[in-house]
Amino acid sequence: MDAQGHERFREFVENRSSALLKTAVLLSGGDRHAAEDLLQSALIKAAGRWQRIDEPEAYVRQILYRQQVSRWRLKWRRRELTVAEPPEGTGGTATADASSAADLRIVMRGALARLTARQRTVLVLRYFEDLPEADVARILGCSVGTVRSTTHRSLAKLRALAPELAALGPADAEQSPSRDFSPVEVRP
């Protein structure tokens, strides 16, 4: 990579890494360390082809999705059990609304972490990335029907894991600061 390409890559990483990390965190079920690893390996792959990439962000996101798909297609899977409950009281000066939104975020992250990697990936692509079913199917290498059924089962499981999120209507969710996890707002 020449000096100009190196500078463009550095600027891209500086400007877009936080948005890409947010996607990676969602794809990895809220595990920030796994998300950082996922993003780092995607950026390494992109750096090797940087001179030939026309749309860098789309290219890196595609790498993120494919790497996540590869992880859940592995023969062995790392099993994690989420057992931590949100703390009862933080004793801080946060308002009731802010702590309520934080509690919902914690519940949502816990519920997302308990979904399978495939279910989480489909929900992130459909509702966080706002991709149509056909694009999700193309990215994941499956049929549109598989995307639809996985989305339906994933949302049902998400609602079962976190019934308190069902009480949020679309209007409430739009006003809530926990907007970054929109899958519960969608009713198939």
Side-chain angles (χ1 to χ4, degrees):
M1 182 181 324
D2 63 3
Q4 183 182 13
H6 187 278
E7 182 62 25
R8 280 189 13 242
F9 180 73
R10 188 190 63 72
E11 287 175 7
F12 170 77
V13 171
E14 188 176 298
N15 294 331
R16 299 305 305 153
S17 62
S18 63
L20 292 168
L21 181 60
K22 193 173 188 180
T23 300
V25 167
L26 290 172
L27 288 171
S28 64
D31 184 348
R32 186 167 176 94
H33 297 291
E36 289 170 351
D37 291 344
L38 183 67
L39 179 58
Q40 182 177 9
S41 60
L43 289 172
I44 289 169
K45 287 182 179 184
R49 299 186 50 101
W50 188 252
Q51 300 293 5
R52 295 173 290 225
I53 299 173
D54 293 329
E55 295 183 38
E57 185 159 355
Y59 188 82
V60 172
R61 285 182 184 276
Q62 186 79 12
I63 294 171
L64 284 173
Y65 306 146
R66 289 188 175 166
Q67 284 184 300
Q68 185 62 26
V69 167
S70 294
R71 287 182 180 185
W72 50 258
R73 284 186 177 159
L74 290 175
K75 290 185 181 183
W76 67 272
R77 297 191 180 158
R78 184 178 71 180
R79 302 285 183 197
E80 293 183 14
L81 178 62
T82 306
V83 295
E85 293 290 325
E88 288 302 318
T90 58
T93 60
T95 65
D97 289 341
S99 66
S100 168
D103 289 343
L104 286 175
R105 249 191 313 274
I106 290 169
V107 169
M108 176 59 88
R109 285 184 189 209
L112 281 172
R114 290 171 34 208
L115 294 176
T116 67
R118 181 182 190 104
Q119 290 172 326
R120 205 172 32 250
T121 302
V122 168
L123 291 180
V124 168
L125 291 174
R126 284 287 291 131
Y127 300 112
F128 182 74
E129 294 294 326
D130 199 27
L131 294 176
E133 292 169 336
D135 289 351
V136 174
R138 183 184 45 77
I139 289 169
L140 298 180
C142 63
S143 70
V144 173
T146 300
V147 170
R148 286 181 184 152
S149 63
T150 303
T151 301
H152 178 75
R153 284 192 305 272
S154 302
L155 289 173
K157 186 172 181 182
L158 193 61
R159 287 185 192 110
L161 290 171
E164 55 270 45
L165 296 173
L168 264 184
D172 297 332
E174 288 175 9
Q175 295 169 356
S176 169
S178 65
R179 181 85 173 125
D180 24 310
F181 294 105
S182 60
V184 293
E185 300 167 27
V186 178
R187 305 279 190 241

